[in-house]
Amino acid sequence: MKICVIPDIHGRTVWRDIITTDNYDKIVFLGDYLDTRDYISINNQCNNFREIVRYKKANKNQVILLLGNHDFHYTLYCRDSYSGYKAATDANVGRDVLEAIKDGSIEACYSYDKFLFSHAGISKEWLENNNCENFDNPEKIAIFVNNLLKYIPRVFNFTPGPNNSGYGDDTCQGPIWIRPDSLLKSSLEGITQVVGHTQDEKIIIHNNLILTDTLGYSKEFLVITDGVPEIRLIK
């Protein structure tokens, strides 16, 4: 199994180059398709998002689209708007984001073998707070989390915690908000989580956590081949 991981897009079209670099069994987008960090027009960002969704629908079993916080705040499920939110983006593509979640094109979590993929990561505390009973089985966790998005999407809202961190650095934060330090403090034993969300200059591989949000810096992306992670560079 060869899995290509594409972190936070933020309006960029570089994903088109990444998907042609090899023959991949699975291509996993980690969310944040919107709210550019570059000089990309709202119209181009929205068209890019729609193209990604069409790509998913044309390759339903190969392509996995996951939800990011910069996508979630354009849905009716989100009770607030957050950093990067643009009313014009909402008017242009908000309904499309919501529809992609409703029809299952966008999920919250994906699992393969010992790996668990989500936008920001899944803490044991968050699972406990939402009455999950499985902490050691990535597949069951993914099913549980995806069902929460389908039936109780409000639990994906930003959750103020004991640190009172507006940055999301609390162990109670959910899969589209939690930061790496808090995730490591409330990690899932025996599971390697692959996440974006927190921008770094280079991909960082811990024992049970891989941080991949590097497209804005090093242009690195992650490939996992038969369980072995490999860092590749966009040429």
Side-chain angles (χ1 to χ4, degrees):
M1 173 69 80
K2 184 175 291 187
I3 302 172
C4 176
V5 181
I6 303 179
D8 309 41
I9 290 295
H10 289 296
R12 304 181 186 102
T13 59
V14 68
W15 63 274
R16 300 173 189 162
D17 299 320
I18 294 174
I19 63 175
T20 64
T21 55
D22 207 333
N23 294 317
Y24 299 109
D25 299 293
K26 295 285 183 182
I27 299 172
V28 182
F29 289 76
L30 296 180
D32 275 7
Y33 309 99
L34 301 163
D35 297 344
T36 186
R37 294 169 180 167
D38 302 325
Y39 295 102
I40 305 170
S41 72
I42 287 174
N43 189 58
N44 284 344
Q45 291 179 64
C46 295
N47 286 339
N48 189 51
F49 169 75
R50 293 187 180 105
E51 184 179 351
I52 291 171
V53 173
R54 287 195 297 271
Y55 176 60
K56 157 68 178 178
K57 291 182 176 181
N59 300 275
K60 188 174 182 180
N61 294 323
Q62 181 191 20
V63 178
I64 310 296
L65 303 186
L66 301 182
L67 179 71
N69 57 303
H70 285 275
D71 318 310
F72 183 70
H73 69 181
Y74 290 111
T75 74
L76 298 175
Y77 306 136
C78 190
R79 59 178 174 234
D80 299 299
S81 58
Y82 300 96
S83 172
Y85 175 88
K86 298 287 191 298
T89 303
D90 199 344
N92 189 315
V93 82
R95 187 175 297 177
D96 295 333
V97 177
L98 186 62
E99 184 59 33
I101 295 172
K102 286 183 175 180
D103 69 17
S105 296
I106 292 180
E107 301 175 287
C109 188
Y110 171 70
S111 72
Y112 176 76
D113 193 23
K114 67 177 181 179
F115 294 95
L116 192 62
F117 303 80
S118 66
H119 178 63
I122 299 171
S123 73
K124 184 176 181 181
E125 181 175 334
W126 186 82
L127 289 176
E128 289 174 339
N129 290 344
N130 286 285
N131 302 311
C132 180
E133 297 179 354
N134 295 288
F135 302 115
D136 58 356
N137 186 313
E139 184 178 3
K140 290 183 178 179
I141 291 171
I143 292 170
F144 178 83
V145 174
N146 286 332
N147 279 335
L148 285 178
L149 180 60
K150 185 176 181 180
Y151 298 110
I152 321 175
R154 60 177 173 76
V155 302
F156 289 84
N157 277 288
F158 189 91
T159 306
N163 291 336
N164 197 29
S165 171
Y167 183 62
D169 204 357
D170 277 291
T171 54
C172 64
Q173 288 288 0
I176 62 174
W177 298 107
I178 194 168
R179 296 296 177 176
D181 287 346
S182 291
L183 186 59
L184 288 169
K185 291 175 184 175
S186 187
S187 61
L188 301 171
E189 188 174 348
I191 296 173
T192 298
Q193 298 203 51
V194 181
V195 306
H197 186 52
T198 301
Q199 196 172 44
D200 286 295
E201 292 187 5
K202 292 183 176 295
I203 289 176
I204 299 174
I205 300 177
H206 295 281
N207 289 334
N208 62 347
L209 178 62
I210 303 178
L211 306 174
T212 70
D213 184 5
T214 62
L215 292 182
Y217 286 104
S218 65
K219 310 300 182 185
E220 294 176 340
F221 66 100
L222 184 74
V223 175
I224 300 173
T225 305
D226 296 331
V228 179
E230 171 194 354
I231 299 171
R232 295 190 182 181
L233 188 65
I234 302 169
K235 296 181 181 179

